[in-house]
Amino acid sequence: MESIDSPPAPRDVLIVGGGIAGLASAVGLSRAGASVTVVEQEPDFHEVGAGLELAPNGTRVLAEWGLLEEMESLGVRPRALVIKDAIDGRVLTRQELGADFERRYGGPYLVAHRSDLLNVLLRAAERAGVTLITNEKIDRVETQHGRALATAASGNVYEAQLVIGADGLGSTLRGVLSDDVPVASGFVAYRGTCRMSEVDIDADLDNVVAFIGPGCHFVQYPIRKDLDQHGQLLNQVAVFQSPAFLRGETEWGLPGEVDAAFATCAEQIRHALGYVPRDRHWLMYDREPIDTWVEGRLLLLGDAAHPMLQYLAQGACQSIEDARVLQATVTDAVFGGSNHDRWIDAAQTFNSIRAPHTARVQRTARQWGESWHVDGIGRTLRNMLFSSRDLSDHHYTDWLYAQV
Amino acid sequence: MESIDSPPAPRDVLIVGGGIAGLASAVGLSRAGASVTVVEQEPDFHEVGAGLELAPNGTRVLAEWGLLEEMESLGVRPRALVIKDAIDGRVLTRQELGADFERRYGGPYLVAHRSDLLNVLLRAAERAGVTLITNEKIDRVETQHGRALATAASGNVYEAQLVIGADGLGSTLRGVLSDDVPVASGFVAYRGTCRMSEVDIDADLDNVVAFIGPGCHFVQYPIRKDLDQHGQLLNQVAVFQSPAFLRGETEWGLPGEVDAAFATCAEQIRHALGYVPRDRHWLMYDREPIDTWVEGRLLLLGDAAHPMLQYLAQGACQSIEDARVLQATVTDAVFGGSNHDRWIDAAQTFNSIRAPHTARVQRTARQWGESWHVDGIGRTLRNMLFSSRDLSDHHYTDWLYAQV
């Protein structure tokens, strides 16, 4: 990657944002034959946070791009997704992730460190000849004379056939298309990893386990195998509804709220909670779905287009799906025929394919999260529903994981 | 029935309260061989309200007592219990009440006018030689020298082996055993009947239909067949959570709240609601279960012992079950052996058989009602749970309807 001092040469596509969505798009577009530049405002390409889940709709694409083997070597294949009640610890339902699951959905389910996925994509982009620029913040994108012009805070102007806004939840470029703002869920996440050899947590290292409780949940899964002979790395995520948020306060989700939020949970959870760092936390936001992601030669994707709550663990996967679908529409519209200037068609086709689906993922993620956090009779009904689920029933996952 | 001017002759059993529980007990105890007097504080024996449901656990007992044929001639056998969502009108689940159901539970499911059941029991009590006294309010029951003495407001003192407190939700006699008070649910019922020939309601006359909605529900079923050639009598019950109750006001559930409570319901319900009389309403109360119903020679049963919310439609049935079980324990303990003074044993055995079961019915009725009235994600979960119910699964009804 490089910093630049002089205005860069024009590329087919300029991607604004070097997170998972931006880098995955760089990989996909390179494979479509496009020349790509990625600009990132930070001094380097990195991911904050701890673990991340990759369902088959993401790993299928990694496999096609030749990246799955590397990703698998860094991550873990859990045996099952297990949902337990956080108060009594009872198993409510599980999704086996073995051979039948992989056959059905055409890829494995992996869990990994967020930075490992980012680095796999970054190396793939480098190998594909993507120009990677850091310390460059794009403030403005305009479409003039059939070209997109992106102006950076540095004064540099980038020229491209298409600019992709992959600048995340707080996207600057989304402002061109919508005046909506992120929606606070009132839930906050504390997360972190610990080496199993250094803690006395009685965690299930075979599975992704989500303990779901009234106004809170707690997730545990291993994300690295036998790391440095020090045993496995356990990822833990503690999420709860902030009482300060409910009181309408502007400062919410602070560390003083953590222990009380899990006070009614099983002892196992309260003990493990002691190992979750309190020095950082993430306020959980999403946005309302919007239909239109294209304005002139600007296209939004990833969290900039469809930020979602984390409950379906689909943030990374939907960004990777975006990249794969954009690869296909660009291949068809731009490089497939005689007309070499059909970038807008490609972006609009991409928009029409992806927006209805990601809107459903955004809405379902909210509802799925709500169902995790119910109390009283809602909890009773939820537990009865989940417990009575036929484990061979795939209608909860087919729409999300199956081949598009 | 008679009013009395002089102290009555001693009987084996004095029953305080001439509602369904009191009269059913009079029938059951007569069949056990006991001499019985029933005293009612009102000028006559009557039931207020409209329709009533009789599940097999009630009709089985009526059949054994030779009363089912008469009851059936007055009531209706619905084909099914149907639960629909009150907002979109969608069927959520149903319980067929046909031959399989009757075979499984040993009796039919009937719906009838409350007064018809009361009159059937009253006539049976008369035929059995039960002494029926009205206008007599019992204030006090004491156990002295191995006899129960019940003192009326009139000054009359009744002497018996056993006094049964069947004086309902607001029981005076329960005060001997517990200082608890009725628990307001915050829900109020408006109910009434109309002749189908006189209204333009598009009701399903084959079934008992419960439309369940956020904070409200609406029930419809036919209770008399081709009455006077004027078509069927339709029973309607509208129940809702009172906003005034939630605000902590002492006057709640007033008619001004009715229409707003059903504003989000399907048009079909809002139209039918127009035919529900507003001149009377019933505030819905129950009580916490208590373990002990026996004090000396006083025994509570029916609503005095275990008042329940109406959601399982088991008020009458549980009182009839009480009567049948008491008939059995009195037969065994009192008239079965050589010792003719084992009334307290019979009462205590009855208590130990019935209290755990009716406590479960009380608790389940509350929870069942809660599940009807959920909104938001709770409604989504409830509808998914109900809709996914296997119609041949009997675990929701076996514990309640099956032979004890």
Side-chain angles (χ1 to χ4, degrees):
Chain A
M1 64 198 91
E2 51 194 289
S3 285
I4 55 164
D5 300 313
S6 56
R11 290 290 194 286
D12 288 332
V13 183
L14 177 77
I15 298 174
V16 179
I20 289 166
L23 292 174
S25 296
V27 172
L29 287 168
S30 298
R31 293 177 67 90
S35 60
V36 180
T37 295
V38 177
V39 292
E40 165 59 40
Q41 63 179 340
E42 299 281 324
D44 60 0
F45 292 88
H46 67 276
E47 269 285 311
V48 290
L52 151 151
E53 299 182 43
L54 284 169
N57 59 318
T59 58
R60 270 198 319 262
V61 177
L62 295 180
E64 193 191 325
W65 289 345
L67 306 177
L68 182 58
E69 209 172 317
E70 187 185 1
M71 197 63 234
E72 280 210 72
S73 73
L74 299 166
V76 174
R77 262 185 207 234
R79 190 174 294 173
L81 306 173
V82 181
I83 297 184
K84 298 186 179 187
D85 185 280
I87 294 177
D88 60 25
R90 197 160 57 91
V91 173
L92 300 177
T93 189
R94 56 190 288 136
Q95 173 62 56
E96 296 297 334
L97 302 173
D100 286 351
F101 179 87
E102 291 194 27
R103 230 183 339 266
R104 185 176 189 90
Y105 296 125
Y109 200 103
L110 299 183
V111 288
H113 205 286
R114 299 184 77 81
S115 59
D116 287 335
L117 173 62
L118 191 92
N119 288 329
V120 165
L121 293 171
L122 184 63
R123 286 190 289 268
E126 281 171 339
R127 287 194 302 269
V130 171
T131 304
L132 297 163
I133 296 168
T134 54
N135 275 317
E136 182 81 300
K137 177 162 182 3
I138 301 298
D139 286 335
R140 200 167 77 246
V141 175
E142 294 149 301
T143 301
Q144 283 180 10
H145 311 299
R147 298 288 284 174
L149 300 176
T151 308
S154 63
N156 289 328
V157 178
Y158 295 78
E159 191 183 325
Q161 299 280 358
L162 185 69
V163 172
I164 289 176
D167 50 346
L169 169 75
S171 173
T172 303
L173 300 183
R174 184 173 168 119
V176 173
L177 284 144
S178 171
D179 58 2
D180 76 304
V181 294
V183 177
S185 69
F187 282 75
V188 57
Y190 284 73
R191 47 191 185 182
T193 57
C194 42
R195 288 174 199 268
M196 284 301 289
S197 57
E198 296 170 1
V199 298
D200 66 339
I201 298 173
D202 179 26
D204 173 355
L205 294 177
D206 287 330
N207 300 316
V208 175
V209 181
F211 295 90
I212 63 178
C216 68
H217 72 265
F218 193 77
V219 176
Q220 292 179 314
Y221 54 84
I223 51 173
R224 278 191 195 133
K225 292 165 284 198
D226 300 316
L227 178 83
D228 308 332
Q229 313 297 321
H230 286 101
Q232 285 187 296
L233 207 56
L234 177 70
N235 182 60
Q236 299 198 119
V237 188
V239 175
F240 62 91
Q241 187 172 41
S242 162
F245 177 85
L246 294 178
R247 290 192 303 268
E249 297 171 22
T250 46
E251 285 272 315
W252 56 275
L254 297 178
E257 296 186 325
V258 177
D259 289 319
F262 292 87
T264 65
C265 292
E267 203 282 330
Q268 177 189 10
I269 296 171
R270 287 180 286 117
H271 175 75
L273 186 64
Y275 292 98
V276 176
R278 311 287 167 104
D279 56 345
R280 280 210 61 173
H281 58 272
W282 286 261
L283 305 179
M284 309 313 275
Y285 284 82
D286 66 357
R287 292 182 188 249
E288 299 298 333
I290 55 172
D291 294 333
T292 304
W293 300 343
V294 181
E295 169 66 41
R297 286 174 180 266
L298 171 66
L299 167 67
L300 304 180
L301 52 64
D303 279 353
H306 48 68
M308 53 192 57
L309 297 179
Q310 78 284 18
Y311 302 104
L312 293 171
Q314 276 285 311
C317 288
Q318 292 301 315
S319 289
I320 294 170
E321 270 194 23
D322 280 354
R324 182 61 189 83
V325 172
L326 186 60
Q327 174 187 337
T329 65
V330 165
T331 299
D332 291 348
V334 179
F335 299 110
S338 53
N339 185 343
H340 202 271
D341 192 30
R342 295 172 64 189
W343 289 95
I344 295 172
D345 286 358
Q348 285 175 341
T349 304
F350 168 83
N351 186 168
S352 69
I353 293 170
R354 293 294 294 159
H357 186 68
T358 56
R360 183 175 176 192
V361 182
Q362 287 174 288
R363 284 191 292 263
T364 307
R366 281 187 183 179
Q367 199 170 56
W368 186 231
E370 278 188 86
S371 80
W372 284 18
H373 297 139
V374 289
D375 198 2
I377 188 70
R379 173 178 169 240
T380 304
L381 292 164
R382 191 266 323 275
N383 287 0
M384 290 172 78
L385 177 68
F386 284 18
S387 301
S388 68
R389 172 177 166 262
D390 175 356
L391 295 186
S392 65
D393 172 12
H394 295 94
H395 90 273
Y396 288 105
T397 42
D398 275 354
W399 70 279
L400 193 59
Y401 297 161
Q403 311 268 358
V404 198
Chain B
M1 67 198 90
E2 53 194 285
S3 287
I4 56 164
D5 300 314
S6 56
R11 291 288 194 283
D12 288 331
V13 183
L14 176 76
I15 297 175
V16 179
I20 289 166
L23 292 174
S25 296
V27 173
L29 288 168
S30 298
R31 293 177 66 91
S35 60
V36 179
T37 294
V38 177
V39 291
E40 165 58 42
Q41 63 180 341
E42 299 284 322
D44 60 1
F45 293 88
H46 67 276
E47 269 285 310
V48 290
L52 152 152
E53 299 181 45
L54 285 168
N57 59 320
T59 59
R60 270 198 319 262
V61 177
L62 295 180
E64 192 191 325
W65 290 345
L67 306 177
L68 182 57
E69 208 171 318
E70 188 183 1
M71 198 62 234
E72 280 210 73
S73 73
L74 299 166
V76 173
R77 263 187 207 231
R79 189 174 297 173
L81 307 174
V82 181
I83 298 185
K84 297 186 180 186
D85 184 281
I87 293 177
D88 59 26
R90 195 160 59 91
V91 174
L92 299 179
T93 189
R94 54 189 291 137
Q95 174 62 56
E96 296 296 335
L97 302 173
D100 287 350
F101 178 88
E102 291 194 28
R103 230 185 338 267
R104 184 175 190 90
Y105 296 125
Y109 200 104
L110 299 182
V111 287
H113 205 286
R114 298 186 76 82
S115 59
D116 288 336
L117 173 62
L118 190 92
N119 288 329
V120 164
L121 293 170
L122 185 63
R123 286 190 289 269
E126 281 171 337
R127 287 195 302 270
V130 171
T131 303
L132 298 162
I133 295 167
T134 54
N135 277 317
E136 183 80 302
K137 175 158 184 10
I138 301 297
D139 286 335
R140 200 167 77 247
V141 176
E142 295 149 301
T143 301
Q144 284 181 8
H145 312 299
R147 299 287 284 173
L149 299 176
T151 307
S154 64
N156 288 328
V157 176
Y158 294 78
E159 191 184 324
Q161 299 279 357
L162 186 69
V163 173
I164 289 176
D167 50 348
L169 169 76
S171 172
T172 303
L173 300 183
R174 184 172 168 121
V176 173
L177 283 144
S178 171
D179 58 3
D180 76 304
V181 294
V183 177
S185 70
F187 282 75
V188 57
Y190 284 73
R191 47 192 186 182
T193 56
C194 42
R195 287 174 199 270
M196 284 301 289
S197 57
E198 296 170 1
V199 297
D200 66 340
I201 298 173
D202 179 26
D204 173 356
L205 295 176
D206 288 331
N207 300 316
V208 175
V209 181
F211 294 90
I212 63 179
C216 69
H217 72 266
F218 193 77
V219 177
Q220 292 179 314
Y221 54 83
I223 52 174
R224 276 191 197 133
K225 291 163 286 198
D226 300 315
L227 178 83
D228 308 332
Q229 312 298 322
H230 286 99
Q232 285 188 298
L233 208 56
L234 177 71
N235 182 61
Q236 299 198 120
V237 189
V239 175
F240 63 91
Q241 188 173 39
S242 162
F245 176 85
L246 293 178
R247 290 192 302 267
E249 295 172 21
T250 46
E251 285 271 314
W252 56 275
L254 297 179
E257 296 186 323
V258 177
D259 289 318
F262 293 87
T264 64
C265 293
E267 203 284 328
Q268 175 189 10
I269 295 171
R270 286 179 288 118
H271 175 76
L273 186 64
Y275 292 99
V276 177
R278 313 284 168 107
D279 57 345
R280 280 210 63 175
H281 58 269
W282 287 261
L283 304 180
M284 310 312 276
Y285 284 83
D286 66 356
R287 291 182 189 251
E288 300 297 334
I290 55 173
D291 293 335
T292 305
W293 300 343
V294 180
E295 168 68 40
R297 285 172 180 266
L298 170 66
L299 167 67
L300 305 180
L301 53 64
D303 279 352
H306 48 68
M308 54 191 57
L309 297 179
Q310 79 283 18
Y311 302 104
L312 293 170
Q314 276 286 312
C317 288
Q318 291 301 316
S319 290
I320 293 170
E321 269 194 23
D322 280 353
R324 181 61 190 84
V325 172
L326 186 60
Q327 174 187 337
T329 65
V330 165
T331 300
D332 290 351
V334 180
F335 299 110
S338 54
N339 184 343
H340 202 270
D341 192 29
R342 294 173 63 191
W343 288 96
I344 295 172
D345 286 358
Q348 284 175 340
T349 304
F350 168 83
N351 186 165
S352 68
I353 293 170
R354 292 294 293 159
H357 185 69
T358 57
R360 182 177 176 191
V361 181
Q362 287 174 287
R363 283 191 294 261
T364 307
R366 280 188 183 179
Q367 199 170 56
W368 186 229
E370 279 188 86
S371 80
W372 285 18
H373 298 140
V374 290
D375 198 1
I377 189 67
R379 174 179 169 239
T380 303
L381 291 164
R382 191 265 325 275
N383 287 1
M384 289 172 78
L385 177 68
F386 285 17
S387 301
S388 68
R389 173 179 163 259
D390 174 357
L391 296 184
S392 66
D393 171 13
H394 294 93
H395 90 274
Y396 289 106
T397 43
D398 276 354
W399 71 278
L400 194 59
Y401 298 161
Q403 310 268 359
V404 199

